[in-house]
Amino acid sequence: MDLFNYFRRETSEVNIGAVPLGGPNPIRIQSMTNTSTMDTEACVEQAKRIVDAGGEYVRLTTQGVKEAENLMNINIGLRSQGYMVPLVADVHFNPKVADVAAQYAEKVRINPGNYVDAARTFKKLEYTDEEYAQEIQKIHDRFVPFLNICKENHTAIRIGVNHGSLSDRIMSRYGDTPEGMVESCMEFLRICVAEHFTDVVISIKASNTVVMVKTVRLLVAVMEQEGMSFPLHLGVTEAGDGEDGRIKSALGIGALLCDGLGDTIRVSLSEAPEAEIPVARKHLLFGRGGEAGDRDRELASLFLLVFADEVADVEVIDPEVLAPRRETMSLVDDEADDVAGKEDTFDRSRAEHLGRDVEQRGRSILHFFDGKSPRDGIQHAVDGDGLGDTPFGEVIHLVLHQRLQG
């Protein structure tokens, strides 16, 4: 991760209906219905609201074969009204359901933790190497026919790992760890590569933003080692609602967007699905680029340094990554040692002591601090440049308020 120089990770392109993902395409926004998938009319109407709000994919819970088959009727209902949005079937526990859904949806999400392996029971806590290899072969034997169905129907897949739903087999070797989540995903990805199936999206989600960010970064590193460049779906599981849900999503998704990671995002709020879309669009204002995005990234970078203690509390950034920046930006730490009460001005000439890359970025934000304390400079940047409406702007406001109240 580079706090000061943004570039987006290069990924392969995945065909999902008429809305491709990854590669040169923009970061896509999606949401998920909360209606019964057997209620065709309700699903169609909710999907329309998601699309009208700006959603580009609509995901539906697909518990059984009947729900999978009804995706055809939902698809027909949408297309008859001019809505060509790709549908994504969300499948757990039953590979047969995924086989059926692949015939009617543009993408099928499966969970490696329960696709073939039984759900966690803790009945078997140890596996020999031979037993472990036999279980992986079972995955191969069941997964390959599903990939063939997807190939025949031009259906994409998402391999979606959830923290807390790892199988007994993975738990026996790795525990409930980021390493275990990554390996659970990689087992399926290796099969996709061997079968020359490339329409694959990956997600690794958790309700804990620290776990989510660390695991996605680890997954990207492991994929790079194995020559893979599959696109990423980002999201924080059950972020909540209101201010808490929005800030939690901004911390998890925003940290990864800063890394240049992510090809589609879903903000998981306990609200109407269409309410997730405006929040996701604000996330992309921060991460996608453009003048506003660049300015917000610069402000966010400074924010992460000035409020290093607050950042450490939520562990948004690996301290090992932040440490070199804090060393080179020691003058910022000195100036902002006591942000709430310190009225010193930011000395423009001292920027010369920064590293070259820091200096280049630092100069572009010095105007925020000309003759102002760090506290007032950040407040001016947020209020004067419309950054209060962005995810990090909201976080900055929150932290400033807490510091001033303290």
Side-chain angles (χ1 to χ4, degrees), residues 211-251:
V211 173
M212 173 231 177
V213 171
K214 181 177 181 179
T215 307
V216 172
R217 288 173 176 167
L218 178 60
L219 173 64
V220 170
V222 173
M223 281 200 295
E224 287 181 354
Q225 291 173 1
E226 300 194 22
M228 301 179 188
S229 59
F230 296 110
L232 294 169
H233 168 128
L234 303 182
V236 178
T237 303
E238 298 177 351
D241 57 9
E243 184 179 72
D244 289 346
R246 284 157 174 78
I247 291 177
K248 189 173 182 179
S249 289
L251 290 172

Side-chain angles (χ1 to χ4, degrees), residues 306-375:
V306 172
F307 295 102
D309 292 337
E310 280 75 9
V311 170
D313 287 344
V314 294
E315 299 184 56
V316 176
I317 297 179
D318 187 333
E320 293 183 2
V321 175
L322 185 60
R325 288 299 183 192
R326 291 195 64 181
E327 183 176 351
T328 58
M329 289 288 284
S330 59
L331 73 89
V332 177
D333 287 336
D334 292 339
E335 290 288 342
D337 185 52
D338 185 7
V339 176
K342 196 176 179 69
E343 296 300 332
D344 293 349
T345 61
F346 191 99
D347 187 347
R348 181 183 294 270
S349 64
R350 293 172 67 187
E352 300 298 331
H353 297 287
L354 303 178
R356 289 184 180 180
D357 60 330
V358 179
E359 180 182 347
Q360 182 178 4
R361 282 294 183 178
R363 287 183 180 279
S364 67
I365 55 176
L366 283 177
H367 68 279
F368 288 138
F369 294 88
D370 190 13
K372 303 179 182 66
S373 67
R375 177 195 60 188

Side-chain angles (χ1 to χ4, degrees), residues 69-139:
E69 292 175 338
N70 199 51
L71 293 173
M72 178 180 66
N73 297 322
I74 297 171
N75 240 324
I76 293 172
L78 285 166
R79 278 135 187 74
S80 67
Q81 299 181 56
Y83 287 80
M84 308 306 291
V85 59
L87 300 184
V88 182
D90 194 52
V91 178
H92 291 265
F93 303 109
N94 195 337
K96 294 180 180 178
V97 175
D99 293 347
V100 175
Q103 301 175 54
Y104 303 114
E106 281 74 24
K107 184 170 76 171
V108 177
R109 180 272 173 116
I110 62 169
N111 185 343
N114 53 45
Y115 181 74
V116 172
D117 289 324
R120 283 199 291 194
T121 62
F122 301 105
K123 292 180 179 179
K124 188 173 180 61
L125 300 179
E126 295 183 4
Y127 288 78
T128 66
D129 290 344
E130 182 179 358
E131 290 173 328
Y132 201 92
Q134 290 174 351
E135 293 298 315
I136 292 179
Q137 185 61 44
K138 287 182 182 178
I139 293 174

